[in-house]
Amino acid sequence: MTYQNFKFEIDGDGIALVTWDMPDRSMNVINSGIIEELSAIVEKVAGDGAIKGAVVTSGKDAFCAGADLTMLDQSSRVFADMVRNQGEEAAAGMLFEESRKLSLLYRRLETSGKPWAAAINGTAMGGGFELCLACHYRVAANNPKTRLGLPEVKVGLFPGAGGTQRIARMLAPVDALQMLLKGDQLRVDRAKGLKLVDAVVAPEELLKAAKDWIKGGGKAKAPWDVDGFRLPGGPVYSKMGMMTFPAANAIYRRETFDNYPAARAIMHCVYEGLQLPMDQALRVESRYFAKILRSPEAAAMIRSLFVSMQELNKGARRPAEAPPTRLKRIGVIGAGFMGAGIAYVTAQAGIEVVLIDRDDASAQKGKAHSEKLINDQVNKGRASAADRDALLARITPTADYAQLSSCDLVIEAVFEDRKVKAEAIAKTEAVVGENVVFGSNTSTLPITSLATESKRPASFIGVHFFSPVDKMMLVELILGKKTGDKALAVALDYVRAIRKTPIVVNDSRGFFTSRVVGTYIREGHLMLAEGVPAAMIENVGRMAGMPVGPLSLNDEVAVDLAWKILKATEADLGPAAIDARQKALLADMVEKRGRYGRKNGKGFYDYPEKGQKRLWPGLADLQAVKLDPDAIEVAEIKHRLLGIQALETARCFEEGVLTDVREADVGAILGFGFAPYTGGPLSWIDMMGAKRFVALMKKLEKKHGARFKPAKLLVEMAAKDETFYRRFSPGRTRAAA
């Protein structure tokens, strides 16, 4: 048989070498074609008496990136069609059988009677790592960049090809659950320490080591298939088991608030599977996997956090006619925390950086931030001393704007003040060429108005980073009225080069992310003013799926900044544009009590030098009315906190600030942590149904005011029973209003 995705060779010792190398792909992924070909290879090895065993490796730098989730997305669509045409029972049966094909293949390999060794030459994720676990022996090349793991839970799934059962039989339950529920990526040395990898060798010794194991009499049975096998942590119903599972369940609920069906399924799979023989345990895993595939949470998370994110990362919004740009040197003006972070991620991508500040000492201080960050990576074993030296050599700190003359792109990250930004623009344009794109890192100031300070507004674009830059994966690109396609293309090429995810929005007050997250913070303020206990506001915010409560988030971005934005909004748009209750609260916090947030150690929380932050006891004194928490509906608090954000996102879409549904959902999750299990605010509306969402908003409007009034677009969609992803299918952008 001729294989399209594998090379199959048998050496003189009768050992088959199976090299996975998908054509026209930068990385190997699992799809239906791979399952079919690998099944044929397993049967060939099992049925040919001349073959003593097999080694599976990769012909690429990485072993496997995991499953092609578009395959699962397609299965979900086929399931929906089948439900309509043949009924739910038939559809469920089809989905179960289809979804367990990979699990059955790996089990067939494991019980084929021939020894299989995985020669792991690079990163192996998800279903690729599950293939390694199904092999009887695992040897990895000593490569500091290699990562091994089962990250499926991060996209609303769990390892469904035997991963939950093999990991739980290789590690004690507490370690297995932590690995599965966190989806962490392990370095090779850590994987060996956990005995998930049997040996680590030099890259040039990899295949020899794998073949030597087979020639040395490698066993063709997994430990759990050998009589007398004992679970690493003992039986479920043992002293150790009873110390593990009740506590694990409590931790799971504390961390997820039961919002993630896949995480709950992992708990079930491990708990139930460890009480069964392997084949029955795998069947249990497959049943839960098929169930999770049918969940709206998995569908939404796969779409937003995998499919949409991949499309955006690959340039879905890039102007097709603009030629590609290869950026060699970037200018960053402002060496404060934000500018220093931009310089670091740019240098980390191999691009030279000119880091400008008012004097050499300030610029050097900005470079020192990069030195600290890269030293942290060196100390953790994630980078070498040579990597550090090369990165720091790419950053040139200076106060001389003339050094920008050779830059391909300049980004200003100076103080949020029009005069300061205007000065940076003027000094830059005096020394750079006509074709250089200028990006403004601002979260509040309209790009169109800032561009009036430029002589070349077509080359002016907003480049909004999130703090801390080295950890936050989103960059919001803002188009001014005169921003040209070339500026957008260059900005997108830059964001791709630094390996972050871009969204493109049109200019407005607060753009998209700052505007929407502001509604979350405001709702927390208004709840506090109403008399809702501060602890309840914060806890229910997390219960709804947000990473932190609105008061904690305000402390992080600065309470005095919220006060400045409110005053600026009132000055520009009038008293009707702000809420008097929020104004009174912020005035009291900032002007009367000097509580600015985490930055000065006192905001809605107190921040002691030692110990954890805690809610400021004085908050109760700011409440004229104190509501009984037992009389407050938790569901209503959740709906207010998520609903106001989803509603504002829909308004941004209606107004043309957002023009692509993918960017709304991906941007909300990556930018301000909108409940990931929903797939994003527009996915949450679709999941609920526009009709139900509009009814919910009208109910909240009646009780809490006009800010909950449904957008006209939503009312129209509710009347026609439409969804965002059907009406505005991804890739079809809307023109700005």
Side-chain angles (χ1 to χ4, degrees):
M1 179 178 177
T2 302
Y3 304 107
Q4 298 294 320
N5 300 292
F6 295 91
K7 296 174 185 174
F8 186 82
E9 304 167 298
I10 303 172
D11 68 13
D13 294 312
I15 297 173
L17 177 62
V18 182
T19 305
W20 190 355
D21 195 0
M22 298 180 75
D24 304 321
R25 290 264 197 171
S26 59
M27 296 185 78
N28 295 321
V29 295
I30 297 166
N31 57 27
S32 57
I34 293 298
I35 295 173
E36 182 180 346
E37 287 191 20
L38 187 55
S39 294
I41 290 171
V42 170
E43 294 306 325
K44 169 69 175 173
V45 171
D48 190 337
I51 298 177
K52 295 179 180 179
V55 174
V56 60
T57 192
S58 168
K60 302 184 185 298
D61 291 338
F63 186 85
C64 174
D68 181 352
L69 293 187
T70 56
M71 173 180 67
L72 298 180
D73 189 41
Q74 181 62 30
S75 293
S76 296
R77 295 182 187 184
V78 171
F79 169 79
D81 290 340
M82 202 166 174
V83 168
R84 287 190 292 268
N85 299 325
Q86 299 181 39
E88 188 163 354
E89 185 175 344
M94 177 278 299
L95 190 64
F96 173 67
E97 294 301 334
E98 287 295 315
S99 66
R100 71 190 300 238
K101 282 184 175 179
L102 191 61
S103 179
L104 291 173
L105 166 59
Y106 288 172
R107 184 59 174 160
R108 171 60 178 141
L109 179 153
E110 189 173 59
T111 59
S112 65
K114 298 288 181 69
W116 280 77
I120 309 169
N121 61 305
T123 292
M125 287 290 153
F129 189 46
E130 286 180 289
L131 170 59
C132 299
L133 295 175
C135 290
H136 306 100
Y137 185 75
R138 289 161 294 282
V139 57
N142 188 7
N143 182 344
K145 294 182 179 180
T146 293
R147 297 293 181 269
L148 309 174
L150 300 169
E152 288 90 340
V153 72
K154 295 181 178 180
V155 290
L157 293 172
F158 69 88
T164 67
Q165 300 312 305
R166 293 188 177 92
I167 288 290
R169 285 163 173 76
M170 299 172 80
L171 305 179
V174 64
D175 294 322
L177 287 171
Q178 180 166 308
M179 180 177 177
L180 293 166
L181 290 168
K182 292 179 70 176
D184 284 344
Q185 300 179 12
L186 305 177
R187 296 193 299 272
V188 169
D189 56 348
R190 175 63 175 153
K192 186 175 185 299
L194 291 171
K195 298 183 179 179
L196 298 177
V197 166
D198 297 293
V200 178
V201 300
E204 61 272 16
E205 297 293 322
L206 183 65
L207 294 180
K208 180 179 183 300
K211 290 185 175 184
D212 283 348
W213 174 79
I214 295 174
K215 287 191 287 186
K219 293 182 180 179
K221 268 194 174 183
W224 38 87
D225 290 324
V226 177
D227 290 342
F229 170 71
R230 292 177 179 271
L231 294 169
V236 168
Y237 288 101
S238 65
K239 182 178 179 180
M240 184 60 70
M242 289 302 98
M243 291 174 64
T244 298
F245 286 98
N249 187 56
I251 293 170
Y252 151 74
R253 289 184 177 276
R254 183 192 71 193
E255 296 299 318
T256 70
F257 296 98
D258 211 17
N259 286 323
Y260 293 86
R264 175 188 274 200
I266 287 170
M267 299 285 290
H268 277 291
C269 286
V270 173
Y271 176 75
E272 296 171 26
L274 287 180
Q275 300 177 61
L276 298 168
M278 189 60 163
D279 288 300
Q280 289 176 264
L282 290 171
R283 189 173 182 86
V284 166
E285 179 191 75
S286 293
R287 288 199 177 280
Y288 278 111
F289 189 69
K291 179 182 179 181
I292 294 305
L293 281 179
R294 296 169 58 187
S295 71
E297 291 87 353
M301 289 180 74
I302 290 171
R303 181 174 63 197
S304 293
L305 295 175
F306 182 79
V307 179
S308 294
M309 194 182 298
Q310 273 202 343
E311 290 169 353
L312 295 176
N313 287 340
K314 290 178 179 178
R317 291 299 311 278
R318 194 184 188 282
E321 66 281 0
T325 51
R326 187 172 180 274
L327 302 163
K328 296 180 180 178
R329 204 169 198 223
I330 302 296
V332 179
I333 306 172
F337 184 69
M338 185 64 77
I342 297 170
Y344 173 73
V345 298
T346 305
Q348 195 176 42
I351 302 172
E352 292 183 7
V353 182
V354 176
L355 183 58
I356 301 277
D357 213 304
R358 61 181 178 273
D359 52 51
D360 287 337
S362 298
Q364 287 287 354
K365 187 177 178 181
K367 181 175 180 177
H369 178 72
S370 289
E371 187 171 9
K372 178 182 181 301
L373 290 176
I374 191 62
N375 276 334
D376 288 344
Q377 296 298 304
V378 172
N379 293 337
K380 293 175 182 176
R382 297 174 183 171
S384 66
D387 293 332
R388 175 189 59 207
D389 295 343
L391 183 146
L392 294 176
R394 286 191 283 269
I395 301 175
T396 303
T398 180
D400 183 9
Y401 272 77
Q403 296 255 14
L404 298 174
S405 60
S406 58
C407 290
D408 306 302
L409 166 69
V410 176
I411 299 171
E412 66 81 6
V414 299
F415 188 68
E416 284 288 271
D417 182 283
R418 289 181 182 277
K419 291 182 180 178
V420 177
K421 289 185 182 292
E423 182 182 353
I425 294 167
K427 286 184 175 180
T428 300
E429 292 190 346
V431 297
V432 299
E434 287 290 324
N435 296 321
V436 174
V437 173
F438 189 94
S440 176
N441 176 62
T442 175
S443 59
T444 56
L445 300 176
I447 292 301
T448 301
S449 63
L450 286 178
T452 60
E453 303 291 340
S454 171
K455 297 176 183 176
R456 299 178 286 109
S459 296
F460 198 98
I461 189 169
V463 184
H464 178 204
F465 283 87
F466 295 77
S467 182
V469 177
D470 59 300
K471 294 180 179 177
M472 299 295 284
M473 295 308 299
L474 186 73
V475 178
E476 184 179 31
L477 301 178
I478 306 102
L479 303 177
K481 292 290 186 184
K482 297 183 179 180
T483 302
D485 282 353
K486 181 194 171 183
L488 174 59
V490 169
L492 284 168
D493 289 344
Y494 168 66
V495 174
R496 186 174 187 179
I498 61 174
R499 294 182 287 278
K500 294 193 182 291
T501 297
I503 62 170
V504 181
V505 305
N506 288 310
D507 200 11
S508 80
R509 180 176 292 273
F511 318 129
F512 162 52
T513 54
S514 297
R515 174 173 163 178
V516 173
V517 80
T519 66
Y520 176 61
I521 292 172
R522 180 186 64 192
E523 205 60 28
H525 293 165
L526 297 181
M527 288 177 182
L528 193 66
E530 291 166 14
V532 179
M536 188 174 192
I537 297 169
E538 295 293 89
N539 287 333
V540 176
R542 292 186 64 235
M543 289 171 66
M546 298 298 291
V548 294
L551 306 180
S552 178
L553 181 58
N554 196 181
D555 273 3
E556 296 296 328
V557 300
V559 182
D560 61 328
L561 176 60
W563 175 232
K564 290 175 184 176
I565 292 172
L566 185 143
K567 288 193 296 183
T569 302
E570 184 179 28
D572 291 348
L573 304 178
I578 58 113
D579 192 299
R581 295 169 297 170
Q582 185 186 28
K583 180 180 180 180
L585 174 67
L586 290 176
D588 202 330
M589 288 284 290
V590 175
E591 298 199 337
K592 291 183 181 179
R593 302 174 190 268
R595 302 191 70 87
Y596 301 155
R598 181 184 278 276
K599 69 180 183 181
N600 78 331
K602 52 183 184 178
F604 290 100
Y605 285 76
D606 283 325
Y607 299 87
E609 289 186 14
K610 295 182 179 180
Q612 294 184 334
K613 69 180 184 180
R614 54 180 179 265
L615 279 164
W616 174 45
L619 287 176
D621 298 333
L622 302 183
Q623 295 179 302
V625 177
K626 296 178 179 61
L627 300 178
D628 177 5
D630 291 333
I632 302 171
E633 289 187 27
V634 171
E636 182 181 292
I637 299 293
K638 286 184 181 180
H639 286 149
R640 286 176 65 178
L641 292 173
L642 293 186
I644 198 68
Q645 296 179 76
L647 182 56
E648 194 66 18
T649 302
R651 289 182 182 132
C652 286
F653 203 78
E654 180 179 69
E655 295 168 16
V657 176
L658 287 164
T659 60
D660 190 308
V661 288
R662 296 171 297 186
E663 292 175 316
D665 284 341
V666 172
I669 294 173
L670 296 188
F672 49 89
F674 185 88
Y677 69 90
T678 66
L682 297 187
S683 284
W684 188 57
I685 294 172
D686 282 358
M687 192 185 298
M688 186 183 297
K691 189 173 294 185
R692 184 181 162 207
F693 182 79
V694 166
L696 176 62
M697 292 302 102
K698 286 182 176 178
K699 182 180 177 182
L700 292 174
E701 179 189 11
K702 185 175 181 181
K703 186 173 181 180
H704 296 289
R707 67 184 181 279
F708 285 103
K709 183 178 180 180
K712 290 181 180 178
L713 174 62
L714 285 171
V715 175
E716 180 185 322
M717 289 172 61
K720 297 179 180 179
D721 196 24
E722 292 180 320
T723 67
F724 278 99
Y725 277 83
R726 279 205 304 265
R727 177 166 174 170
F728 307 105
S729 59
R732 288 175 52 196
T733 58
R734 301 174 66 245

